[in-house]
């Protein structure tokens, strides 16, 4: 997701998010990317109303849309989390500079992570070939949690770990060279707190998991489909950066959810 310059003043941002249905759409998209039909069912609101407020959020550049790589007739909606965070903090700064002081989950000390209830969670990243997106997501989340979180990845039709995935993460200081492609059937009988699909095809053909498993979707195009060596590698780098952002916020989310249960 490309974050553009912020044309909003803090009051403009508050006006956009203050509407009840727009707020519900935003809070729904925090957990997962959705198609419009899914948002309609989730929010129990008429299609024209949901579509109208999605348009308002798109025009505010808080929500982005992307056509499914599995079925081009379908469109997934997701939050621009970087822009949302920037606008949120601009409101705090406008009220008082001290309100903009935050603790970055990426900088949490190891002893804090070890005590966190989130470290008891089990996470599975799922895509089609378990070659690029899910492998990078697994490596990033392992890195962020210092290998204290039970995190795995798999594919519905596994192939191999793409060299550009290894290279792109190596530039971030993350080594996934020892990871291997795995089929989702390797995890039969195992339970997960979260299953995160990172490609549309895997999401639309996702295996059945127990009801207690939270199913989350991140709609990412496959960087391996980009043609040209330089262009393809750049696509891997951009995907890795976007996955790092999504994974950062995801870790914060599961920390809050686990702490709420303790």
């Amino acid at each position: 997701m490309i974050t553009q310059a912020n044309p909003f003043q803090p009051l403009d941002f508050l006006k956009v998010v203050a509407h009840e249905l727009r707020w519900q759409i935003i809070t729904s998209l925090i957990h997962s990317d959705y198609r419009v039909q899914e948002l309609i069912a989730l929010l129990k609101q008429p299609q024209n109303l949901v579509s109208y407020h999605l348009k308002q959020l798109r025009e505010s550049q808080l929500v982005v849309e992307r056509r499914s790589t599995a079925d081009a007739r379908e469109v997934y909606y997701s939050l621009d989390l970087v822009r949302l965070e920037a606008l949120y903090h601009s409101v705090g700064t406008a009220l008082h500079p001290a309100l903009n002081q935050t603790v970055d989950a990426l900088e949490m000390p190891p002893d804090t992570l070890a005590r966190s209830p989130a470290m008891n969670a089990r996470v599975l990243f799922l895509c089609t070939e378990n070659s690029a997106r899910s492998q990078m997501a697994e490596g990033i989340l392992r890195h962020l949690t210092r290998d204290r979180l039970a995190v795995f990845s798999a594919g519905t039709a596994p192939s191999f770990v793409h060299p550009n995935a290894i290279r792109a993460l190596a530039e971030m200081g993350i080594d996934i060279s020892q990871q291997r492609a795995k089929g989702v059937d390797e995890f039969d009988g195992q339970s997960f707190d979260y299953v995160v699909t990172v490609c549309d095809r895997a999401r639309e053909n996702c295996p059945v998991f127990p009801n207690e498993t939270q199913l989350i979707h991140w709609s990412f195009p496959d960087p391996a489909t980009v043609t040209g060596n330089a262009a393809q590698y750049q696509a891997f780098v951009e995907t890795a950066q976007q996955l790092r952002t999504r994974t950062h916020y995801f870790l914060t989310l599961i920390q809050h959810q686990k702490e709420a249960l303790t």
Side-chain angles (χ1 to χ4, degrees):
M1 295 177 290
I2 299 175
T3 303
Q4 301 183 15
N6 174 15
F8 274 11
Q9 296 297 319
L11 185 58
D12 297 324
F13 172 66
L14 290 176
K15 287 178 180 178
V16 170
V17 301
H19 187 279
E20 183 177 356
L21 183 52
R22 288 197 289 269
W23 180 259
Q24 290 176 0
I25 292 172
I26 289 172
T27 54
S28 297
L29 292 174
I30 284 172
H31 298 281
S32 177
D33 298 351
Y34 288 113
R35 294 170 286 191
V36 66
Q37 299 94 330
E38 294 166 335
L39 285 169
I40 291 166
L42 189 65
L43 301 173
K44 297 180 173 59
Q45 296 291 338
Q47 179 173 348
N48 62 335
L49 200 57
V50 173
S51 296
Y52 171 79
H53 288 290
L54 270 174
K55 180 182 178 183
Q56 300 298 307
L57 291 169
R58 292 200 315 274
E59 290 177 349
S60 303
Q61 300 172 17
L62 296 175
V63 168
V64 295
E65 63 178 13
R66 194 183 67 77
R67 291 206 171 271
S68 168
T69 54
D71 183 347
R73 295 170 297 180
E74 300 286 356
V75 174
Y76 282 100
Y77 294 91
S78 61
L79 288 179
D80 186 332
L81 289 165
V82 175
R83 177 171 169 77
L84 185 62
E85 181 182 43
L87 289 167
Y88 173 81
H89 288 311
S90 73
V91 173
T93 300
L95 291 172
H96 193 290
L99 296 178
N100 200 17
Q101 296 176 1
T102 60
V103 177
D104 192 334
L106 296 178
E107 303 302 326
M108 291 174 63
D111 60 330
T112 301
L113 283 166
R115 295 193 304 268
S116 171
M119 293 304 101
N120 296 322
R122 288 174 55 84
V123 179
L124 175 66
F125 289 104
L126 186 62
C127 69
T128 302
E129 297 184 357
N130 193 210
S131 172
R133 292 158 289 183
S134 57
Q135 292 284 355
M136 290 192 290
E138 175 188 353
I140 291 167
L141 187 54
R142 284 186 184 277
H143 178 76
L144 293 183
T145 58
R146 283 71 161 179
D147 287 317
R148 291 184 172 89
L149 189 68
V151 54
F152 310 90
S153 68
T156 55
S159 58
F160 60 92
V161 182
H162 200 290
N164 278 339
I166 297 172
R167 180 183 169 196
L169 258 62
E171 287 197 1
M172 290 182 173
I174 303 173
D175 182 8
I176 63 168
S177 61
Q178 301 305 307
Q179 292 180 193
R180 65 180 180 86
K182 302 171 292 297
V184 69
D185 56 345
E186 286 194 28
F187 299 95
D188 284 351
Q190 297 188 35
S191 62
F192 294 94
D193 297 281
Y194 304 90
V195 171
V196 184
T197 50
V198 290
C199 87
D200 301 332
R201 186 169 289 105
R203 199 263 187 171
E204 293 165 28
N205 296 281
C206 187
V208 175
F209 289 91
N211 290 335
E212 60 269 19
T213 301
Q214 290 195 41
L215 301 180
I216 296 170
H217 182 52
W218 298 347
S219 182
F220 282 99
D222 185 358
T225 62
V226 175
T227 57
N229 292 339
Q232 184 184 93
Y233 179 63
Q234 184 58 35
F236 270 87
V237 170
E238 292 174 0
T239 300
Q241 291 170 344
Q242 293 168 9
L243 280 167
R244 187 179 188 274
T245 298
R246 293 293 292 260
T247 305
H248 171 193
Y249 285 103
F250 173 62
L251 178 58
T252 304
L253 174 67
I254 65 175
Q255 285 172 334
H256 290 170
Q257 288 183 339
K258 293 290 184 179
E259 287 166 2
L261 297 174
T262 59

